[in-house]
Amino acid sequence: MPIIELKTYINAPIETVFNLSRSVALHTYSTIKTNEEAVDGVTEGLLKEGDTVTWRAKHFGVYQYLTVAITAYDFPCFFQDSMLKGIFKQMEHQHFFTKVGEAVCMHDIFEYKAPLGILGTVADVLFLKRYMYNFLKERNRIIKQVAENDEASLQFLNK
C-alpha cells in the first residue's frame, strides 16, 4: 500500500495548528482548486472523534465523493481519518503534531490503496502518488500560512 509522508514546520501554537487541521472551513479553503466542499455529515466547525464528513471534489475532471470518519483523536497531538466510502480501495490519514522548540512539526502519514486492480497500480506509479503528494503539500502550505497569521487563524477557527 503506498504511503505518503510529509513534515511541515509551523510557527504557531500546537493547539492552533491542530484545530486548523480539523477545520471544515479551512479544508474547503485549502482545496479550492478541486472545488472541494463538505456535503454530508459534519459540514462546518471542527471535526472530532466519531465525526463523519462526506467531501465532494473534482479530481481528474470528474466529481467524486469521499466519506471519512475521525477514528482516533488525542488533542492536540494526533488524529486519524479513515475512509468509509470513496474511490480508493482503502485510505487512512494520520496527523501527528509535535512541539519542536517554538514551532510545531505537523507530520502527515497518508496511506491508500488505488482502485481498479492492476490499472490502479499502474496509475499510481505513473501519476496518482505524485498527484496526492502535491495535493497534501498544498493543503499543508495553506495550513502553515493561516496558522502563522493570527487574524486568519481566528477567521477559520470561528467558522
Side-chain angles (χ1 to χ4, degrees):
M1 190 156 59
I3 298 174
I4 297 170
E5 282 197 62
L6 289 169
K7 288 186 178 179
T8 306
Y9 292 88
I10 302 172
N11 294 311
I14 192 169
E15 297 83 2
T16 299
V17 178
F18 184 87
N19 287 338
L20 288 170
S21 296
R22 60 194 185 97
S23 164
V24 173
L26 183 63
H27 183 88
T28 301
Y29 176 72
S30 72
T31 57
I32 201 159
K33 291 178 183 175
T34 57
N35 297 322
E36 196 149 337
E37 62 180 328
V39 295
D40 196 20
V42 177
T43 59
E44 59 184 31
L46 303 178
L47 297 167
K48 62 187 182 312
E49 187 167 21
D51 284 348
T52 63
V53 59
T54 299
W55 300 102
R56 176 183 179 260
K58 194 172 195 176
H59 296 281
F60 306 111
V62 177
Y63 277 101
Q64 300 174 28
Y65 293 84
L66 175 72
T67 302
V68 297
I70 305 300
T71 53
Y73 184 92
D74 180 20
F75 180 85
C77 301
F78 173 77
F79 73 94
Q80 174 179 287
D81 53 280
S82 303
M83 185 186 81
L84 300 176
K85 191 178 354 175
I87 189 73
F88 294 110
K89 267 189 158 175
Q90 184 178 348
M91 193 270 316
E92 188 172 272
H93 189 176
Q94 297 176 329
H95 309 256
F96 296 90
F97 305 86
T98 309
K99 288 216 31 104
V100 179
E102 295 297 313
V104 173
C105 175
M106 182 172 67
H107 181 191
D108 291 270
I109 300 175
F110 184 82
E111 297 181 68
Y112 65 96
K113 195 171 210 172
L116 307 172
I118 190 73
L119 290 176
T121 302
V122 170
D124 189 52
V125 170
L126 293 177
F127 62 86
L128 183 58
K129 187 171 186 177
R130 182 177 28 200
Y131 178 84
M132 292 307 303
Y133 174 85
N134 289 333
F135 180 82
L136 294 169
K137 189 169 181 158
E138 175 64 8
R139 175 175 152 64
N140 287 1
R141 185 189 70 77
I142 298 290
I143 291 171
K144 176 180 173 65
Q145 180 181 37
V146 171
E148 291 178 349
N149 179 322
D150 290 338
E151 194 173 304
S153 291
L154 290 174
Q155 175 189 350
F156 285 104
L157 293 175
N158 291 328
K159 285 187 176 183

